[in-house]
């Protein structure tokens, strides 16, 4: 193996000769697994030092692995580093990088250039969150996926796939009157995050039922409307969106996550103390 590597300066012939050698040795009774265990050490001895010394002058190509974020990324990077000397003879002088989604990668470049990837970069076709059911009173509050809400100093983009009919979900409602006064860097009391195990439009019926003089303190939405817009005491001041469908046992945790992230318990309708 050492001889194969030392007499082959070209990576492709080095690789072919090494494969041939292993095939021959296997045929004469050697254990292939053992041979492959030895191989990295052989490359380390010959290939690595030489290419390291050249590496600083020659810009190497990068190959990016797009991966979704996961806890094991450090281990994956370590594994790739450890196997670099095995991969390089195959790919040529190539730096392998791990990138959590976003940015240019082989995957999304191919998608962009192919006929099936016609949607504008980084976005999916917009879908309405209206269920369009006959007489659904909730539809008029709903917008499109891709719509962007400004909540305190952050933005939230409405996702695909959900509608008035989604159950076990996290939702939001934003007061259009207050949000219309928004200006740069100003926090507003205009947004509410909630959760429901029912279908979303059923939960909204519950909020709507509180829009009267007797019950308005039982819902954050009616309470906000009464206190801030007594002349427009109506559900129609709210734009709503279904944000995420979750496992029923995760509803509390997910709702809390949104409230924390967008700080609607400091500046927002999640600060309202409603009567139970
Ligand atoms: Zn609907
Ligand atoms: Zn308002």
């Amino acid at each position: 193996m050492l001889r194969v590597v030392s007499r082959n300066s070209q990576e492709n012939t080095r690789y072919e000769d090494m494969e041939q050698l292993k095939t021959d040795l296997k045929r004469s009774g050697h254990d292939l697994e053992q041979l492959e265990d030895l191989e990295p050490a052989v490359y380390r001895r010959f290939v690595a030092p030489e290419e390291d010394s050249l590496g600083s002058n020659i810009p190497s190509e990068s190959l990016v692995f797009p991966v979704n974020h996961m806890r094991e990324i450090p281990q994956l990077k370590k594994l790739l580093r450890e196997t670099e000397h095995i991969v390089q003879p195959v790919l040529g002088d190539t730096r392998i990088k791990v990138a959590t989604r976003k940015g240019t990668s082989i995957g999304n470049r191919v998608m962009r250039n192919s006929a099936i990837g016609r949607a504008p970069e980084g976005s999916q076709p917009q879908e309405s969150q209206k269920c369009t059911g006959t007489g659904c009173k909730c539809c008029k509050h709903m917008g499109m996926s891709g719509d962007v809400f400004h909540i305190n100093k952050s933005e939230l983009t409405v996702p695909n796939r959900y509608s008035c009919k989604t159950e076990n979900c996290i939702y939001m409602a934003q007061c259009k009157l207050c949000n219309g006064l928004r200006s740069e860097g100003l926090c507003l009391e205009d947004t509410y995050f909630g959760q429901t195990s029912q279908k979303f439009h059923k939960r909204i019926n519950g909020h709507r039922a509180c829009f009267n003089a007797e019950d308005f303190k039982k819902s954050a939405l009616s309470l906000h409307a009464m206190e801030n817009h007594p002349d427009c005491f109506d559900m129609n001041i709210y734009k709503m969106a279904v944000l995420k469908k979750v496992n029923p046992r995760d509803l509390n945790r997910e709702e809390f996550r949104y409230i924390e992230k967008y700080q609607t318990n400091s500046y927002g309708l999640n600060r309202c103390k409603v009567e139970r």
Side-chain angles (χ1 to χ4, degrees):
M1 280 178 154
L2 289 169
R3 210 169 326 135
V4 164
V5 176
S6 66
R7 74 163 180 246
N8 277 295
S9 57
Q10 297 279 328
E11 277 154 10
N12 53 346
T13 57
R14 184 165 68 207
Y15 176 74
E16 278 167 23
D17 284 7
M18 186 63 87
E19 288 305 296
Q20 188 57 51
L21 176 71
K22 284 189 291 183
T23 311
D24 292 347
L25 287 171
K26 189 183 167 220
R27 201 177 298 133
S28 54
H30 290 270
D31 184 300
L32 184 62
E33 256 183 59
Q34 269 187 351
L35 291 169
E36 292 191 328
D37 284 348
L38 283 171
E39 215 178 327
V42 176
Y43 284 121
R44 255 200 304 281
R45 193 150 155 194
F46 276 95
V47 185
E50 174 189 303
E51 284 181 358
D52 275 354
S53 62
L54 291 172
S56 51
N57 298 324
I58 298 172
S60 49
E61 282 218 53
S62 296
L63 181 68
V64 180
F65 266 107
V67 295
N68 287 322
H69 185 74
M70 56 178 181
R71 232 176 324 157
E72 294 81 357
I73 283 180
Q75 283 103 299
L76 176 63
K77 284 184 174 170
K78 185 164 173 275
L79 182 73
L80 285 170
R81 258 198 318 277
E82 285 169 354
T83 53
E84 211 168 53
H85 56 279
I86 302 172
V87 177
Q88 286 207 352
V90 184
L91 292 180
D93 190 12
T94 302
R95 292 280 150 243
I96 298 178
K97 292 175 182 166
V98 174
T100 39
R101 297 253 175 230
K102 253 190 173 175
T104 306
S105 67
I106 290 213
N108 60 27
R109 182 174 294 166
V110 172
M111 278 299 287
R112 260 209 308 282
N113 294 339
S114 75
I116 48 172
R118 283 285 150 78
E121 187 180 352
S123 76
Q124 290 170 282
Q126 292 205 316
E127 289 169 6
S128 173
Q129 286 204 333
K130 299 178 197 296
C131 73
T132 69
T134 324
C136 176
K137 289 184 186 139
C138 187
C139 282
K140 62 172 179 271
H141 299 288
M142 312 303 281
M144 305 289 286
S145 69
D147 285 357
V148 176
F149 282 96
H150 296 270
I151 306 163
N152 291 326
K153 287 169 184 168
S154 305
E155 292 184 348
L156 184 156
T157 306
V158 177
N160 271 326
R161 297 198 311 278
Y162 307 128
S163 77
C164 316
K165 294 276 172 64
T166 305
E167 57 190 354
N168 293 314
C169 61
I170 307 299
Y171 63 91
M172 64 170 285
Q174 186 172 69
C175 173
K176 292 187 276 190
L177 300 178
C178 287
N179 197 251
L181 304 171
R182 192 178 61 87
S183 69
E184 202 60 47
L186 181 69
C187 291
L188 287 170
E189 296 243 299
D190 61 4
T191 304
Y192 176 77
F193 289 102
Q195 56 156 302
T196 181
S197 56
Q198 314 171 68
K199 286 198 165 71
F200 175 63
H201 70 98
K202 287 256 165 77
R203 176 67 193 98
I204 293 313
N205 287 343
H207 281 294
R208 191 179 299 103
C210 298
F211 275 73
N212 62 62
E214 263 165 43
D215 300 313
F216 74 90
K217 286 178 180 163
K218 292 178 184 169
S219 154
L221 303 188
S222 48
L223 186 59
H224 171 86
M226 181 61 97
E227 287 181 344
N228 297 277
H229 318 289
D231 301 335
C232 297
F233 185 58
D234 191 298
M235 274 282 270
N236 288 332
I237 63 172
Y238 291 102
K239 181 176 178 181
M240 301 181 187
V242 176
L243 303 176
K244 194 173 186 182
K245 186 173 165 74
V246 296
N247 194 307
R249 67 165 181 267
D250 295 331
L251 280 169
N252 282 330
R253 199 183 59 194
E254 263 321 293
E255 180 192 28
F256 183 71
R257 229 171 50 85
Y258 278 96
I259 291 171
E260 281 283 290
K261 181 171 177 192
Y262 295 97
Q263 299 180 332
T264 53
N265 51 353
S266 310
Y267 300 100
L269 273 56
N270 292 101
R271 205 165 65 92
C272 296
K273 294 279 171 284
V274 296
E275 289 175 358
R276 293 287 162 186

